[in-house]
Amino acid sequence: MAKKKRIVRDKHLLYTAAVQSVDADLDFFERVYRRKHGERPHSLREDFCGTAALACEWARRRETHTAIGIDLDRPTLDWGRQRWLPAIGDAAERVQLLCSDVRAVQRPRVDVIAGLNFSYCVFRRREDLHDYFRSARSSLRDGGMLFLDVLGGSDASEPIEEPRRIPKSKALDGTRVPAFTYVWEQVRFNPVDHHFECRIHFRLANGTRMRRAFQYDWRLWTLPELADVLREAGFAGTEVYVEGWDDDE
C-alpha cells in the first residue's frame, strides 16, 4: 500500500517555515550586540510578532533570557500562545505576549527590539512611522538596538509572482512540516506614494492551493527614508547589513 503524503494546512506553520529564519535572526542580533558592547543581550521584544515564534525561541535559548511579543491580531497571538508556549517548557514563564499597538508599550525596557518581516510598513504616513520609532527608542535600555529588515532592490516595485520551494522542516513545537511551495506576489505599486500591495500563497504537496493566505497593504519605505526618520526619532545612528551581497553581480 502506498504511503499517503503528509499535508500541513495551517497557514501559521507554513508561514513560519517559509518566511521566518528564527535561529539565524537571533544569532545575528547577538553577534551585532556583542560586537558593540562586549556582552550578550538578555531581553528581547518582538514587535508585530504574529505567533511570537522569535520571542519564544529567544526565551528558550538561555535561562537568563526574557522576551515580550506584541501584536494587534489577537487570534494570531492566541495561536502562538496555545501552540508555542507549551512547547518551550519553563521558558514560557519568561515570555509575555501582549495584544496591543506597538506604539503603546514602552515598559519594561529591553536590550533588543525586532521589527521584522517588513511589518512596520503598515505605517503608511511618515508621522506614524516616526511615532513608532520614537516609542521604540523609549523602550530600549541604554545601548539598546532596534533591528529592522528592509524590502528593496530593483524588483521591489514590479508586479511579480515568485514561487520558492520550501524543504521539509520541523516547527518549534516539533510538528513536522512537509515540503511545499511558497509564493510571494507583489500585486501593485504606486510610484507617487509608494503604496504597495502584496500577498502570500501556498501550494501543498497534494496540489491544494491556499490563495491569499496573507495579504498586506503597505508603504514601501526606502533606506534613506528609514535612516532619516530613525535619527529624527532619537536614534544615535543606523547601520545597513546586506544579506548575500555579491560584488561580482
Side-chain angles (χ1 to χ4, degrees):
M1 181 180 294
K3 291 184 178 179
K4 288 186 177 180
K5 290 184 178 180
R6 296 183 68 252
I7 305 297
V8 169
R9 293 184 175 84
D10 189 309
K11 70 176 186 178
H12 296 305
L13 284 175
L14 297 173
Y15 179 92
T16 303
V19 176
Q20 296 187 269
S21 302
V22 169
D23 286 327
D25 289 335
L26 294 178
D27 289 345
F28 178 71
F29 301 161
E30 287 195 285
R31 187 165 64 249
V32 173
Y33 192 95
R34 287 186 68 179
R35 194 183 72 234
K36 294 289 185 181
H37 300 300
E39 61 183 11
R40 290 191 179 103
H42 296 289
S43 53
L44 175 141
R45 193 178 94 184
E46 183 184 3
D47 286 350
F48 320 99
C49 69
T51 67
L54 190 83
C56 289
E57 181 57 37
W58 175 258
R60 186 165 72 167
R61 280 196 163 196
R62 295 183 181 87
E63 292 182 356
T64 57
H65 283 186
T66 60
I68 301 168
I70 306 173
D71 201 282
L72 271 177
D73 190 89
R74 184 174 295 278
T76 302
L77 201 62
D78 286 345
W79 187 101
R81 192 189 309 276
Q82 296 162 13
R83 193 78 179 242
W84 299 149
L85 290 185
I88 63 174
D90 292 343
E93 298 177 4
R94 302 191 300 276
V95 178
Q96 183 180 12
L97 300 183
L98 304 175
C99 185
S100 177
D101 187 318
V102 292
R103 295 168 292 183
V105 180
Q106 297 181 0
R107 294 294 183 275
R109 289 179 173 171
V110 295
D111 298 320
V112 168
I113 295 177
L116 302 186
N117 305 315
F118 324 124
S119 297
Y120 59 88
C121 291
V122 71
F123 299 124
R124 290 171 53 185
R125 299 191 310 163
R126 197 177 196 277
E127 51 265 43
D128 292 331
L129 184 67
H130 179 272
D131 286 347
Y132 168 55
F133 287 163
R134 184 175 58 185
S135 177
R137 175 65 185 85
S138 298
S139 306
L140 289 168
R141 294 174 176 166
D142 290 345
M145 297 180 178
L146 168 65
F147 289 87
L148 309 169
D149 54 4
V150 182
L151 179 62
S154 58
D155 292 336
S157 60
E158 298 294 326
I160 61 171
E161 189 164 316
E162 185 176 72
R164 178 162 56 90
R165 188 67 175 166
I166 306 301
K168 63 182 179 180
S169 61
K170 186 182 291 188
L172 184 65
D173 64 349
T175 301
R176 295 184 181 278
V177 182
F180 63 96
T181 298
Y182 156 85
V183 181
W184 170 256
E185 182 186 10
Q186 293 170 189
V187 182
R188 59 180 60 88
F189 173 79
N190 185 332
V192 176
D193 59 8
H194 277 211
H195 180 206
F196 191 53
E197 293 183 44
C198 307
R199 299 170 185 155
I200 289 175
H201 318 288
F202 299 116
R203 300 174 188 161
L204 309 183
N206 65 348
T208 299
R209 293 173 178 250
M210 295 178 64
R211 297 285 299 174
R212 303 186 182 187
F214 296 93
Q215 300 186 74
Y216 305 102
D217 188 3
W218 285 339
R219 171 171 172 173
L220 185 63
W221 294 94
T222 65
L223 281 169
E225 288 175 319
L226 291 170
D228 286 347
V229 181
L230 284 164
R231 282 192 293 268
E232 291 168 11
F235 283 88
T238 60
E239 294 182 352
V240 177
Y241 296 81
V242 181
E243 181 181 17
W245 185 267
D246 186 340
D247 287 332
D248 293 334
E249 294 293 330

